[in-house]
Amino acid sequence: MSHKALQLLEYHVWANDRIINHLKALPEETYRSVIQSIFPSIAEALVHIYRIDSRWLHIMSGGTFEQILALDKQVTEATEGISLDGIQALYHEVAEKYRTFYSDKDLDALKEYPHPTYGVMKASYADIIQHLSNHGTYHRGNITAMLRQQGHPGVPTDYAFFLYEI
């Protein structure tokens, strides 16, 4: 299970890179154009994925709910008006932090994650990796729809395409 979980983390990194690299080949305004969708722009969708990736790393490291709120403020400030290259650099940075964090962990070990509204969740590190991958996949699908809404094709980021590449 651990190997597959780490492979899902690498898939998540790969798929984010595919989306960002695809966006770099499109007209620059595509990234920031305000549209009617689940997010007001593709830039906001990419920041959201990054925010959740950052949040979960902090949570797994023992961060409190109050610290998470402060982290969200830092992410908002760090990503204000961020370029595609900038968001890609942040994705790579957080991915490296995940690799370091997981390097000495038993990925199947259960940990408790208290939340002020939802109660306590018991999940393994592998479960959190699966959540990150699923969350990213969902929002990369949103981005594909947002691209099509602007008249641009999407780029395949299905897990099977990742498997072909590795």
Side-chain angles (χ1 to χ4, degrees), residues 67-144:
Q67 290 170 329
I68 301 305
L69 296 177
L71 174 69
D72 281 352
K73 184 178 179 193
Q74 290 172 345
V75 168
T76 298
E77 291 169 1
T79 58
E80 187 70 34
I82 197 164
S83 67
L84 279 167
D85 287 332
I87 193 73
Q88 190 169 38
L90 289 178
Y91 274 122
H92 288 178
E93 187 179 299
V94 78
E96 195 53 43
K97 288 178 182 178
Y98 268 100
R99 291 179 189 113
T100 300
F101 178 82
Y102 286 133
S103 68
D104 63 348
K105 301 288 187 284
D106 172 4
L107 297 183
D108 297 320
L110 285 179
K111 187 173 175 182
E112 292 188 351
Y113 301 99
H115 189 279
T117 303
Y118 304 117
V120 177
M121 174 179 71
K122 292 181 182 177
S124 69
Y125 293 121
D127 289 330
I128 302 304
I129 293 171
Q130 183 169 358
H131 167 68
L132 291 175
S133 177
N134 287 347
H135 177 261
T137 297
Y138 177 76
H139 290 304
R140 286 185 295 271
N142 296 146
I143 291 169
T144 296

Side-chain angles (χ1 to χ4, degrees), residues 49-58 71 75 94 98:
I49 297 168
Y50 171 73
R51 178 185 314 281
I52 299 306
D53 286 3
S54 297
R55 188 183 287 177
W56 272 107
L57 183 61
H58 196 75
L71 174 69
V75 168
V94 78
Y98 268 100

Side-chain angles (χ1 to χ4, degrees), residues 34-54:
V34 176
I35 57 175
Q36 279 290 92
S37 191
I38 190 159
F39 292 98
S41 69
I42 291 172
E44 288 295 321
L46 287 171
V47 166
H48 173 76
I49 297 168
Y50 171 73
R51 178 185 314 281
I52 299 306
D53 286 3
S54 297

